[in-house]
Amino acid sequence: MSTATLPSWRSALAVVAHPDDESFALGAVITALVEAGTAVSVLCLTRGEASTLGAVADLSAVRALELARAAEALGVTGVELHEHPDGALARVPLDVLAGEVAAAAQEVDADGVLVFDPSGVTGHADHARATEAALAAASDVGLPVLGWTIPAAVATTLNEEFGAAFDGHEAAEVDVVVRVDRTRQLEAVHCHSTQAVPSSVLWRRLELLGVHEHLRLLR
């Protein structure tokens, strides 16, 4: 049975693969945690340099700046940006990634970790690898982990409309369904101007989710 409340964490670490994951995906949950008094920090494992959107010079530098602005919009306490290869996180040894996550969690004295669902949700292998690393780290340091997911019906709709590869969960598999205010999330999303492409699947997902986000207790 799902609850309507997030954990009462004093400090949390959100672990993501790319700049904009913290906004488009986790933004509303991060906002809810911040507004409940949780100090949220973000660890982003790549600079998003492989994106096919926003073809600009030195995209990795631009996306780093976008991430910093988005984090400020969300009320994030701090951001740590690493430089693992975008699109190839699976090639980075798991113990290396897990060690970085564990160090970041200890640095901010985290009470819990926020990640994507182990499936990666969107079909991007980097998302799944980031979560795998976070789960390994959380196991080592003894922290609970919340995984962001979407309803199975929403995943099906997105896949049918966009030919995408989203993965979701049925209600019985979801532990927390929280009502959210997307105001700050949308402000953060617009900070990622190279990625916030009109009519993309990301906007459609937000429309389908409405005022609720769904999470699973992974640890």
Side-chain angles (χ1 to χ4, degrees), residues 36 79 90 172:
V79 177

Side-chain angles (χ1 to χ4, degrees), residues 146-162:
L146 271 181
W148 169 76
T149 187
I150 60 175
V154 170
T156 297
T157 298
L158 293 172
N159 293 341
E160 290 176 348
E161 292 182 359
F162 292 87

Side-chain angles (χ1 to χ4, degrees), residues 10-177:
R10 179 183 49 80
S11 174
L13 178 69
V15 180
V16 298
H18 315 105
D20 83 26
D21 291 343
E22 84 299 329
S23 296
F24 264 118
L26 304 183
V29 178
I30 288 175
T31 294
L33 285 168
V34 168
E35 292 181 349
T38 303
V40 180
S41 297
V42 172
L43 170 61
C44 183
L45 296 174
T46 83
R47 298 175 71 93
E49 73 279 358
S51 174
T52 57
L53 303 175
V56 298
D58 199 359
L59 181 59
S60 64
V62 172
R63 297 199 70 184
L65 181 59
E66 291 177 344
L67 173 60
R69 291 171 175 166
E72 183 177 359
L74 291 172
V76 165
T77 302
V79 177
E80 189 172 333
L81 181 59
H82 290 194
E83 298 188 0
H84 294 296
D86 182 11
L89 272 184
R91 299 178 193 167
V92 182
L94 184 60
D95 62 335
V96 171
L97 295 174
E100 293 176 0
V101 175
Q106 291 173 332
E107 177 69 23
V108 301
D109 195 18
D111 297 318
V113 180
L114 176 64
V115 296
F116 281 46
D117 187 77
S119 68
V121 182
T122 67
H124 198 308
D126 279 0
H127 295 161
R129 186 63 163 179
T131 295
E132 185 182 11
L135 284 169
S139 178
D140 288 342
V141 299
L143 289 177
V145 181
L146 271 181
W148 169 76
T149 187
I150 60 175
V154 170
T156 297
T157 298
L158 293 172
N159 293 341
E160 290 176 348
E161 292 182 359
F162 292 87
F166 281 85
D167 181 77
H169 287 278
E170 300 293 344
E173 301 172 302
V174 173
D175 299 299
V176 180
V177 179

